[in-house]
Amino acid sequence: MELSLAQQNNAITAFLGGPSTLRPFFSNLMDEEFHLLPYNNYIMLNLECLNAILSIGIKQVELGLLISICSNLLVNENICLQDNNEPHTTSSIAKLTGHSVQATKKKLNSLKKMDLLNHSFTKYKFGQKKVYRVNPHIIRKGVHMNSILATLFNDITVQSLMRKKQMST
């Protein structure tokens, strides 16, 4: 079936989560072997950035920790939340991973040095609390990002990570 440019744009808009009126249009265009999945609980992972952090030798334990705390991100804010929707603390992350607070703090500090994680105060929703935020250039939940994230994180490239690694050693 040949689609007009307008139909293609509508299909792309619907696929990217556009107006709900377009979703039925998009599903009608699909073959029986394809199905739309609900994506509201998905996180996005930038594979180029993942390859960049893997190339500088991130420890598997640190990568696992990063992925673990991303299981419940606040949409558009990238704040790491516990299952009860309270922001993660170092002790809650230690409990989640089954490690001591001191060992967890060491891994979290390593992630902060690589600019993959930020631990700073926020006034948003939680009062004045310190929260962990994940760099949206590698992992994010939501299409739009709060402008504060642009001031907290730089884009991830192999060169920027190598500089950070050299500065920390």
Side-chain angles (χ1 to χ4, degrees):
M1 165 184 356
E2 184 91 18
L3 298 178
S4 71
L5 184 58
Q7 288 174 318
Q8 290 174 11
N9 287 338
N10 284 343
I12 292 168
T13 303
F15 181 73
L16 294 175
S20 58
T21 56
L22 295 176
R23 286 191 188 102
F25 168 80
F26 186 65
S27 61
N28 290 338
L29 294 176
M30 303 193 70
D31 292 334
E32 293 175 10
E33 61 189 80
F34 295 102
H35 301 282
L36 286 177
L37 298 174
Y39 56 86
N40 53 338
N41 288 323
Y42 283 53
I43 61 170
M44 293 177 232
L45 176 64
N46 183 328
L47 295 178
E48 287 180 23
C49 292
L50 177 62
N51 287 330
I53 64 171
L54 290 172
S55 71
I56 65 149
I58 187 173
K59 296 176 185 167
Q60 293 296 317
V61 169
E62 295 166 344
L63 184 58
L65 175 65
L66 182 65
I67 291 170
S68 295
I69 63 175
C70 289
S71 64
N72 190 16
L73 289 177
L74 182 62
V75 176
N76 303 330
E77 298 286 333
N78 265 25
I79 296 174
C80 302
L81 301 176
Q82 302 175 55
D83 289 337
N84 62 3
N85 288 328
E86 285 293 313
H88 262 300
T89 62
T90 305
S91 59
S92 70
I93 295 170
K95 186 177 177 182
L96 173 74
T97 60
H99 294 101
S100 71
V101 173
Q102 184 178 11
T104 302
K105 183 73 172 165
K106 186 177 179 182
K107 292 175 192 104
L108 291 169
N109 284 339
S110 178
L111 292 171
K112 287 192 289 187
K113 284 180 185 175
M114 288 185 267
D115 200 32
L116 301 177
L117 198 62
N118 176 279
H119 193 216
S120 58
F121 284 98
T122 185
K123 295 178 185 176
Y124 184 78
K125 283 191 181 180
F126 307 110
Q128 185 73 10
K129 282 191 176 180
K130 226 172 176 186
V131 298
Y132 285 100
R133 292 180 192 258
V134 177
N135 187 327
H137 295 287
I138 185 163
I139 297 174
R140 74 172 187 250
K141 186 172 182 181
V143 177
H144 304 285
M145 289 288 119
N146 185 319
S147 59
I148 189 76
L149 294 172
T151 64
L152 295 176
F153 297 105
N154 294 314
D155 197 359
I156 296 174
T157 62
V158 174
Q159 294 81 13
S160 68
L161 289 171
M162 291 300 280
R163 278 193 302 275
K164 287 184 184 301
K165 186 175 182 181
Q166 289 170 352
M167 291 169 56
S168 67
T169 56

